Amino acid sequence: MKLSYLWRGLPGHPIHPPLTDATIGIYTLATLAGLLEVLGITDRNGAIVWWIALVVGLIMTVPTALTGLADWLTIRRGTELWRTATSHLIAMVTATVFFGLAALFGHDAYRDANVSGGAYALTVIGFLCLTVGGWLGGAIVYVHGMRVLSLVDEPAERAVAPVPHAEKERAEGA
């Protein structure tokens, strides 16, 4: 067992992608809850869910960003993969800044169980940056093939096993 498996995951089972799913889902919830409140569909509850989801999203961003950074640091600089991954990193940091600003500037309105227009605008900008970053993250995996082993004939029980088989390590170049 390699120590890097703790923050990078096993070959073929990286840690970063599932964390991104959770983080994106939380920020999506915040954006939708804020929209329901701004449109007047909810009365108070939308604002509460919006702000709490922003805070939980910011907390969840920490392990997500750290595992992504661990993967980014393994990419050879100057390659097309590195360019795409760097663009992904910039988009996600930008999204995080906007979500953080929305939580900060929206806190007073949240205490009154409301979503201010400015804070919601910051949320939407964050969500748009998040969407671009997610698109770029998809390109990293599905176009560049980062961390994809492509062992199409691997038996199912070995493919899902939480053990770093030698074939998986060779396929990843670990």
Side-chain angles (χ1 to χ4, degrees):
M1 265 311 219
K2 295 180 181 181
L3 187 59
S4 66
Y5 290 163
L6 293 174
W7 58 86
R8 293 196 70 229
L10 300 173
H13 301 278
I15 293 174
H16 181 66
L19 291 174
T20 64
D21 292 348
T23 305
I24 290 169
I26 294 164
Y27 284 135
T28 300
L29 172 64
T31 305
L32 292 174
L35 177 64
L36 293 174
E37 186 68 29
V38 167
L39 293 176
I41 295 171
T42 58
D43 183 29
R44 304 176 55 87
N45 290 336
I48 294 167
V49 171
W50 164 77
W51 195 81
I52 291 173
L54 283 176
V55 172
V56 171
L58 291 166
I59 293 167
M60 192 67 201
T61 295
V62 174
T64 304
L66 290 175
T67 56
L69 181 62
D71 283 343
W72 181 79
L73 289 171
T74 67
I75 302 170
R76 191 166 45 91
R77 289 192 174 279
T79 62
E80 294 305 316
L81 170 59
W82 182 83
R83 285 182 182 86
T84 305
T86 301
S87 297
H88 167 70
L89 183 148
I90 291 167
M92 294 314 227
V93 168
T94 303
T96 302
V97 167
F98 278 102
F99 287 130
L101 290 171
L104 181 67
F105 293 127
H107 185 259
D108 287 342
Y110 153 75
R111 288 192 328 203
D112 295 329
N114 197 359
V115 176
S116 69
Y120 187 67
L122 292 168
T123 303
V124 170
I125 294 168
F127 187 76
L128 293 173
C129 293
L130 181 78
T131 301
V132 170
W135 180 272
L136 292 166
I140 292 166
V141 175
Y142 299 112
V143 176
H144 294 293
M146 183 170 180
R147 306 284 317 263
V148 174
L149 302 185
S150 196
L151 298 173
V152 295
D153 294 323
E154 184 79 355
E157 62 277 359
R158 288 177 59 92
V160 300
V163 181
H165 296 293
E167 295 85 1
K168 287 181 178 179
E169 288 179 335
R170 278 195 300 276
E172 187 173 62

